[in-house]
């Protein structure tokens, strides 16, 4: 089996996880969550979103979160930005990495950011060149790559087209999102293969929601196509407020446990991720869905780190 030696885990729990929680968390709790994830060795953490607080109140105050998170050497902190106003907020808060987002289906994009796909690119053109000029790293997300909650099936060509446009617009990396967790591994292999023909595979990342239990199988399919950057959320927190039925992201514990079990390095300390998830479970007052969090380490395997 062709597999990479190392995978970069992008922790999106503080953003993609908490954006969908009914219980609002204090800035202190959000900062503490990020600091615990950082202490666990996660190399990249998406700490918040500079979106409209009217649309997503859970992400209000992301400036303060970004400012207060401990800046461990080598740690990359990223924030979600939908438009120029969001970029200005991110810049004022000292962001060095931003992530823009659009979709492969028009209906989802309209509900998520009140814009057509073309309009989202017009918005990006108003700040991405400047962000790059300031030396910021820019990630791009494509949502609904494997299916849309409003339109159903999404053609693979459409995903390749949007991902290519994001790279042309200045994105260093493009994360391919299964927003509502409908992808099957064969579909991932097919799409990753097509994307790999259009773009360098080093620019690709995958972002699976685990709604129907296929996220880990989908990761394996992506790794076999040469993709080595994988998004996940501690505890399996998550969901998109504008994607009905979208439940948690792939859990960081489950991802790291599987990768370590296959001998793939991540630099992540699983016990540390578990601590971060336990603390946030306590704050949210509900059990999180991560299988590893529920089961613990395999007998005789320590914490799997
Ligand atoms: P709009 O209403 O069309 O925009 O929203 P607008 O320009 O007319 O602005 C409306 C109000 O919002 C104005 O305030 C603006 O100033 C303000 P008012 O004059 O009414 O007082 N505003 C802002 N405030 C703070 N920061 C900003 C900002 N922009 C405008 N950046 C907008 C358009 C994009 C703002 C809105 O639709 C929005 O914020 N959407 C965010 C939706 C969101 O966060 N979704 C979840 C993240 S995406 C996701 O989860 C998918 C992903 O995980 C991948 C996957 O799984 O597929 C990434
Ligand atoms: Mg997501």
């Amino acid at each position: 089996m062709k597999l990479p030696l190392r995978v970069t885990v992008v922790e999106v729990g503080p953003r993609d996880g908490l954006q969908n929680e009914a219980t609002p968390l204090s800035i202190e709790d959000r900062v503490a969550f990020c600091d615990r994830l950082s202490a666990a060795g996660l190399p990249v953490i998406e700490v918040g979103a500079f979106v409209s607080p009217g649309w997503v109140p859970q992400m209000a105050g992301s400036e303060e979160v970004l400012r207060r998170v401990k800046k461990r050497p080598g740690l990359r902190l990223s924030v979600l930005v939908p438009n120029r106003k969001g970029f200005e907020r991110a810049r004022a808060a000292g962001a060095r990495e931003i992530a823009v987002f659009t979709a492969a289906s028009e209906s989802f994009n309209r509900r998520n950011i009140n814009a057509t796909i073309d309009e989202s690119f017009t918005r990006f053109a108003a700040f991405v060149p400047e962000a790059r000029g300031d030396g910021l790293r820019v990630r791009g997300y494509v949502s609904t790559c494997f299916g849309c909650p409003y339109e159903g099936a999404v053609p693979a060509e459409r995903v390749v087209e949007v991902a290519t446009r994001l790279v042309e617009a200045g994105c260093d990396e493009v994360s391919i999102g299964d927003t509502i967790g409908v992808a099957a591994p064969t579909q991932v292999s097919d799409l990753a293969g097509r994307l790999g023909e259009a773009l360098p595979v080093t620019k690709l990342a995958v972002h699976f929601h685990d709604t129907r239990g296929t996220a880990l199988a989908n990761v394996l399919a992506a790794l076999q196509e040469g993709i080595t950057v994988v998004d996940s959320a501690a505890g399996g927190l998550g969901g998109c407020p504008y994607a009905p039925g979208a439940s948690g992201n792939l859990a960081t514990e489950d991802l790291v446990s599987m990768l370590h079990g296959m001998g793939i390095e991540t630099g992540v300390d699983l016990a540390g991720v578990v601590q971060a998830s336990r603390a946030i479970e306590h704050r949210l007052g509900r059990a999180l869905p991560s299988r590893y969090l529920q089961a613990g380490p395999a007998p005789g395997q320590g914490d799997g780190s």
Side-chain angles (χ1 to χ4, degrees), residues 15-16 207 209 249:
R15 193 280 303 169
D16 205 353
H207 178 108
H209 285 257
N249 288 77

Side-chain angles (χ1 to χ4, degrees), residues 15-16 19 50 52 83 85 89 112 114 143 179 207:
R15 193 280 303 169
D16 205 353
Q19 74 182 9
F50 293 110
S52 160
N83 55 15
K85 182 163 186 168
R89 289 174 61 199
N112 195 35
N114 198 22
S143 285
T179 315
H207 178 108

Side-chain angles (χ1 to χ4, degrees), residues 41-116:
L42 264 318
V44 190
I45 306 176
E46 202 167 77
V47 301
F50 293 110
V51 298
S52 160
W55 283 60
V56 186
Q58 294 90 334
M59 290 292 103
S62 288
E63 287 86 347
E64 213 181 326
V65 176
L66 178 60
R67 283 202 196 96
R68 286 173 49 183
V69 172
K70 286 195 197 92
K71 309 297 182 296
R72 175 173 63 77
L75 170 66
R76 290 167 42 202
L77 300 174
S78 180
V79 288
L80 206 63
V81 164
N83 55 15
R84 177 145 192 113
K85 182 163 186 168
F87 167 61
E88 280 165 8
R89 289 174 61 199
R91 181 161 60 181
R96 299 305 305 153
E97 295 204 17
I98 58 172
V100 300
F101 54 110
T102 185
S105 63
E106 291 290 357
S107 320
F108 176 79
N109 210 48
R110 167 68 61 199
R111 285 180 174 78
N112 195 35
I113 55 171
N114 198 22
T116 63

